[in-house]
Amino acid sequence: MKKSGLGGLLTPVALLFWSHALVAQTLPSVRADVQQTILPVQARRDAPDLQCSQRAAPPRGKAPREMDPQEVPDEVDVQTQLKQFHDVLSNGPLAEGRAQKRPLWQAQSGQPLRVGIWGDSHLAAAFWSQEWARLSQLPPEAVSSRFLPASMNRPGVRLPLRKSCVGPGWQYEPAHAVPAGASEPGPGLVNLWTQGQDAWLSLDVRNLSAQADKSQLRLLYQQTRDPISLAIRIDGGEAQRVDLLGREGPAVLDLVGDDAMSTIELRVLEGPFRLNGLELPLPVETRLQLDVFGYPGATVAGWRQLQTTAMAPWWGASTYDVVVMAFGTNEGNVQPFDAAAYTQSLRSSVAAWRQLFPQAACLLVAPGDRGILVRRSQKNRSGAVQGTKPAPAKLPDLLKFTRVHAEIGRIQKQVAQAHGCYFWSMLSAMGGAGGSYRWAQQNPAWMAKDLIHFTVPGYQRLAQSMAQDLGWNASVFAPK
């Protein structure tokens, strides 16, 4: 029999009441192989806002003035190297000849369109997905997320949470990390793990209008052989102790409130504790379930290294209609780039991904263009005339990463076709080789100053181009 949050036994009658009256109305049922604990909690209408305790940052000395800063190369130098460049990615943004079994955007009858997206920092920032939601022309209340990855407060990650606070003692475990990658991660391919006691985290689960609208919430975690003890505090009220017992493996703790909850504080009393993520109830008005799992530095190898049998329990019978994989930038950062090794890694990763979602329509998104910053002393070649100035240093290969990303796109296209998936190239959408330099010169700029990432307008433009190429618009959600 399951234990209640008060440390006593929850009677079968009470368990039945809470399960049928609240949980089954919103949160889906869990598989038989998932350990489930239900904790009744009390919500408060006057819940205070979260106040994260800030640790004072160490004082930083004044950075010395950079005498030879890195800058975007001159246009004449870019054009000179472009004349000698041969783009190996000859296809347009949308690949032809695909063996797709079903249309890309097709929901099950009477259900919202369910989309799951995995990627790197380009997705983690959420600017692309926010524009994607806007382009659907659905009202904000019709777009929801079911799963949130365990990447709260990770720099570079923006989640659909009003606020979150993560105390000291936690570590992120991304699945792509070698050799310490998580083999049993949550849906977002990352865990939040603590070994010690008294580690805490707090979440404000109100919607973006600051309204409490969730009376249930599910914590996904890994049950250990030894008991795990947590203290749960809802809306600043009294803390409740819950002892988590059961077989090792994937498990869930369902918080079931008597009213909509605003804030949740979790403190580990006895561990270790590995949080795999959160599952939220979908409002009845949801037309688009958009789950975005982006993590800075992530590579597709996270799929190759994990055990898909450990991932399957999270979705249960309610899986995705469309799955999207958007990696490649971080793989291309490893020099020299080994195309054969990348091909092997991509094939095994996509095979594992498709094994988990065999019925879903699938899409691979290849990385965009990436540029090279040069020292100021390497520029202004026209000034070195008749010995008036020393000749500038030789320019590096400004299209080094363009070649790599084009090769990554070519390989992704082949693998996508082999698995009956759609394919889309960010590089092609940017106009091909040299796109990073052209986008950096826009006003406002579409490329970030590092020539790797994009600005907010840049991400929005990519989303708009992708939507046009792949038929993403209001007609997707029109009554059939």
Side-chain angles (χ1 to χ4, degrees), residues 18-90:
W18 283 102
S19 176
H20 286 278
L22 291 172
V23 176
Q25 292 181 5
T26 50
L27 286 172
S29 59
V30 298
R31 293 189 355 172
D33 56 347
V34 176
Q35 179 75 20
Q36 182 183 28
T37 302
I38 300 174
L39 177 66
V41 297
Q42 289 186 330
R44 292 171 49 185
R45 294 295 181 93
D46 57 344
D49 286 337
L50 280 187
Q51 299 295 329
C52 302
S53 57
Q54 300 291 335
R55 287 183 290 180
R60 300 176 60 180
K62 187 176 181 180
R65 181 183 177 185
E66 176 61 71
M67 302 303 295
D68 193 12
Q70 290 188 317
E71 299 176 344
V72 176
D74 286 337
E75 177 67 15
V76 63
D77 293 323
V78 174
Q79 291 301 321
T80 299
Q81 294 195 15
L82 277 173
K83 290 179 181 179
Q84 305 170 357
F85 179 80
H86 299 285
D87 191 353
V88 299
L89 189 65
S90 58

Side-chain angles (χ1 to χ4, degrees), residues 458-477:
Y459 282 115
Q460 292 171 340
R461 184 170 179 83
L462 283 173
Q464 293 160 9
S465 177
M466 186 175 177
Q468 181 176 0
D469 289 338
L470 298 179
W472 177 267
N473 49 52
S475 66
V476 172
F477 304 95

Side-chain angles (χ1 to χ4, degrees), residues 238-316:
E238 293 295 323
Q240 297 176 251
R241 179 188 175 104
V242 57
D243 299 314
L244 304 173
L245 304 168
R247 60 183 177 273
E248 292 182 85
V252 300
L253 171 60
D254 289 352
L255 306 181
V256 181
D258 59 345
D259 201 349
M261 296 175 281
S262 298
T263 63
I264 298 166
E265 180 184 320
L266 178 152
R267 189 175 296 272
V268 179
L269 303 178
E270 238 180 280
F273 181 66
R274 182 168 277 108
L275 180 68
N276 295 123
L278 303 178
E279 184 174 0
L280 308 176
L282 288 179
V284 294
E285 59 268 27
T286 300
R287 301 277 304 282
L288 169 61
Q289 175 191 328
L290 188 60
D291 296 340
V292 181
F293 307 116
Y295 194 85
T299 67
V300 74
W303 281 101
R304 183 193 65 202
Q305 296 174 190
L306 59 80
Q307 302 175 17
T308 53
T309 54
M311 292 280 285
W314 299 131
W315 285 276

Side-chain angles (χ1 to χ4, degrees), residues 147-158:
F147 291 104
L148 300 185
S151 52
M152 303 85 178
N153 288 46
R154 168 64 167 83
V157 176
R158 296 170 67 241

Side-chain angles (χ1 to χ4, degrees), residues 364-388:
L364 267 65
V365 177
D369 193 31
R370 174 177 174 179
I372 298 267
L373 296 172
V374 299
R375 294 291 179 184
R376 183 177 294 172
S377 60
Q378 296 175 293
K379 299 169 60 176
N380 302 321
R381 291 175 172 268
S382 60
V385 179
Q386 297 180 356
T388 58

Side-chain angles (χ1 to χ4, degrees), residues 329-338 370 400-401 404-405:
T329 299
N330 296 301
E331 288 90 332
N333 195 46
V334 178
Q335 297 292 311
F337 177 69
D338 188 333
R370 174 177 174 179
K400 176 178 69 172
F401 289 108
V404 172
H405 286 201

